[in-house]
Amino acid sequence: MPENTVVFFIAFALACFLTGVSKGGLGGMLGALITPMLSLVMPPNLVVGLMLPVLMLADMFAVAAHWRRWEARLIWMLLLGAVVGVTLATRLITGLTVETLRRILGVLALLFVVYRLSEARIRSSLRYAPRNWHGALAGSIAGFVSTLAHAGGPPVSIYLLMQGLSPRAFVATAALFIAVLNWIKVPYYYYAGLFNFEQQVRLIWLAPLVPLGVWVGKRLVQQVNRVWFERVMIVLLSITGVLLLVR
């Protein structure tokens, strides 16, 4: 338990709510912000363990909303690489100090900002020819980043966008892959000692904030100006990344 328990509970409650909002339709940058944000007020190895059950709960709503709209073939290719990525990241995370892991999260946050700022230019300049191994590569990167920071969405999004899927199939395939990936991480996190079961029991009363956030996210998705929302998230993620590096 961090020394300032009030800040701890407020931050985790906010993280639960924002996770639901993200799964409700305002994902992307918002989802990538949560783990780095929490790592400002508590050790990141505690954060990833505490957040995994929250994400798994939120995944249930995301998958149910797009049930059986996914492309199973693409998911299998992604999962083949995901296991490799999760394994490598777990080996890395068990040998890192808290401060080193915090700085890695800071770097990942800033890399995600760079990706979002250059995404359109990169996609427009690429001449893509699909290969099966591309799915395994994207899955391994997603598994690696997701294990460290619960932010495996960008590699998956880049890969799926290049497959010419319909918007519904794109969202459904990404949602199911992330849900399965989070289940894959469970035994690895247990092996690495990242779960604090006593703490998770103490926080279970905050679980209803996840479906509440999903409900709010579904209603906000049609009302929020996505351009300005993305800009605000980029600024917040940039500040968070810098703070993680310099603290």
Side-chain angles (χ1 to χ4, degrees), residues 124-137:
S124 64
S125 64
L126 286 177
R127 299 186 181 277
Y128 181 67
R131 298 287 187 274
N132 288 338
W133 63 268
H134 294 172
L137 176 61

Side-chain angles (χ1 to χ4, degrees), residues 32-215:
L33 176 65
I34 296 170
T35 299
M37 177 192 72
L38 277 179
S39 297
L40 290 173
V41 297
M42 64 185 79
N45 53 343
L46 174 63
V47 171
V48 293
L50 289 177
M51 282 303 300
L52 184 56
V54 175
L55 292 166
M56 293 169 70
L57 174 61
D59 287 336
M60 295 170 58
F61 295 94
V63 172
H66 306 284
W67 186 251
R68 304 188 76 171
R69 302 280 185 172
W70 48 74
E71 289 287 337
R73 179 183 62 86
L74 298 179
I75 291 174
W76 281 113
M77 287 192 292
L78 287 165
L79 288 175
L80 289 174
V83 175
V84 176
V86 173
T87 302
L88 292 175
T90 303
R91 290 291 300 272
L92 177 65
I93 205 172
T94 54
L96 295 177
T97 65
V98 170
E99 287 305 318
T100 300
L101 182 56
R102 183 175 280 121
R103 289 186 173 89
I104 288 176
L105 288 177
V107 171
L108 290 176
L110 295 177
L111 285 176
F112 190 67
V113 169
V114 172
Y115 155 71
R116 293 299 291 189
L117 292 175
S118 58
E119 179 183 12
R121 185 180 303 173
I122 292 173
R123 292 215 316 255
S124 64
S125 64
L126 286 177
R127 299 186 181 277
Y128 181 67
R131 298 287 187 274
N132 288 338
W133 63 268
H134 294 172
L137 176 61
S140 63
I141 297 173
F144 186 86
V145 177
S146 182
T147 302
L148 292 176
H150 295 313
V156 177
S157 296
I158 294 171
Y159 171 71
L160 293 180
L161 283 169
M162 294 179 178
Q163 306 308 309
L165 300 176
S166 67
R168 188 71 182 271
F170 169 86
V171 174
T173 303
L176 182 58
F177 168 71
I178 293 298
V180 176
L181 174 59
N182 283 333
W183 276 98
I184 290 173
K185 290 188 290 188
V186 171
Y188 286 88
Y189 275 28
Y190 180 80
Y191 162 79
L194 297 177
F195 286 128
N196 187 325
F197 296 107
E198 180 183 352
Q199 195 68 274
Q200 286 164 339
V201 170
R202 296 179 64 182
L203 293 168
I204 197 169
W205 61 280
L206 295 173
L209 289 173
V210 176
L212 175 63
V214 173
W215 182 81

Side-chain angles (χ1 to χ4, degrees), residues 215-233:
W215 182 81
V216 171
K218 286 182 177 179
R219 278 147 184 79
L220 287 179
V221 70
Q222 300 298 332
Q223 303 176 24
V224 173
N225 184 311
R226 294 304 292 260
V227 174
W228 280 103
F229 178 79
E230 288 283 318
R231 289 174 180 173
V232 171
M233 291 298 104

